[in-house]
Amino acid sequence: MNISEKNFNKIFNVFLCVIAIAMIFRKPCSLFIIFFGVFSLIFFKKLKFNKTSFILIVCIASPILLELLLFWNNDSFSKGLKAIEKSISLLLFPIFIIGNYQRVNFLKTAQIYYIVTTIIMLFFLIRFNVVYPELSAKYFNGIDLFEIGYKFADSIGIHAPALNMHLAFVSVCALYFVFYSFHNNEKTAIKMLRFVIFLLSFFFVLFVNTRMALMNVLAGFIIVFFFEFKTKFNLKKMAIASGTVLMLLSGILFFYVKENPYMKEKYSTATFAYMDKVGKLDEIDHPEIKVYNSLVTRVSIWKSAWELSVKNLPFGVGASDGKPELNKYYKQTNQKFLAKYEFPTHNQFLDFLLKFGILGPIVALLYMLTIGYLGYDLKNAIILSFFLIFFTSNLTDDFLLRFDGIAFSGLWSSIFASYWLQQKTTSGKVPEAV
């Protein structure tokens, strides 16, 4: 099949944008990924690789390569295949995106992604208020403030921490392009529009209100500010833009916390309550009410996961058997609350240690540090912020268990790697692809 280079590039980048935007909707996004894979296979002759790109592909695909290496350790052949199927995008994205790295338009993709995603979230917020007016009424009256973010995420069909991980990255991108607008002397109307979208994106992070995402988005803002102050351009404009952003952020945070008293409780007493009950959650009266999302529950899970992992060194229990074996261990150690709700590890490094043994956390670290290296080497605030968001999110959750974590990180790390290759090829540090 023949297609002009211009049309191929256009379709290729449209696929990247659509997949990135659809990431919070599992089924549509899965279909787009399949179409993208078929499209890329049809035009496989356009793929070009060099030694450096192969290294990047291996680093990004390392989790699924580890699953293949230790496939023999699964108790069930079919469940082992199902585990690999969930991670297939970690092989597909790096091969087809990095293989076409010279065609990737990183900044344009990021711009379309953060704008359209914010607009979609606005649509779902309006829909949420129409479909669930009773929840909105409770929220505005200060009743059950803890549940609104999770209910909103459920109305979209995604877990709240996963949604807010995405929204944190969207908000960092939005802030980056506020400064980008000043860099490029865009029209005042465009600057204002970018600023409004940024404020909306930050509001959604606050609305969903998960602890790690809120801390991550603020840390991401600091990274953006840091790199902006290091750049050499009009300091007066920079000071005006930064001062305005900081004042508005401070104002939003102040009034949001003031009107949402649960925020104070959630980020202090609720988080650190009952820490003397680690591994003894059943001694707490109604733990599902008092400590379901508290740190003590996470630490109790981690304690069990660590103990079980140590018993199954050096190769772990197998990719498909991590959660079932952990649930069995809850029952064996008479932890009824954990067994009832079948909590996963809530830590990606422990999850990989349990599944794959010694190699597990090493590969998880390699996968995430690859993103960090790309951002550090390019001195790029978006990439470094993504690394921070994804790395820290996986300290309290296990997003390489979930489609919205696997595909999300695989797509963007491949885009980042392509952008890195473009910059290094231009500077002559990496040989041209052949």
Side-chain angles (χ1 to χ4, degrees), residues 175-176 179-180 183 220-246 379 381:
L175 179 60
Y176 177 91
F179 290 110
Y180 174 90
H183 272 292
F221 292 165
I222 292 171
I223 291 173
V224 173
F225 278 117
F226 174 77
F227 280 102
E228 289 303 322
F229 275 112
K230 284 190 69 177
T231 56
K232 296 179 180 179
F233 82 112
N234 193 310
L235 289 177
K236 184 178 179 181
K237 288 183 178 180
M238 178 69 205
I240 293 171
S242 300
T244 305
V245 170
L246 284 171
K379 303 295 185 290

Side-chain angles (χ1 to χ4, degrees), residues 311-349:
K311 290 182 179 181
N312 287 278
L313 292 177
F315 298 116
V317 300
S320 66
D321 303 307
K323 188 175 180 181
E325 290 297 323
L326 186 57
N327 291 332
K328 288 180 186 177
Y329 189 74
Y330 294 151
K331 295 174 183 176
Q332 290 170 9
T333 53
N334 200 31
Q335 298 184 82
K336 296 176 183 178
F337 170 61
L338 297 183
K340 178 181 178 181
Y341 291 97
E342 299 184 340
F343 288 99
T345 53
H346 284 292
N347 179 291
Q348 192 58 64
F349 300 97

Side-chain angles (χ1 to χ4, degrees), residues 61 73 121 199 204 226 229 294 375:
N73 202 26
M121 286 299 103
L199 292 179
F204 288 124
F226 174 77
F229 275 112
S294 292

Side-chain angles (χ1 to χ4, degrees), residues 277-282 296 299-300 303-304 333 335 338:
K277 299 296 184 182
V278 171
K280 299 177 288 184
L281 299 178
D282 295 314
V296 65
V299 177
S300 297
K303 181 176 180 290
S304 296
T333 53
Q335 298 184 82
L338 297 183

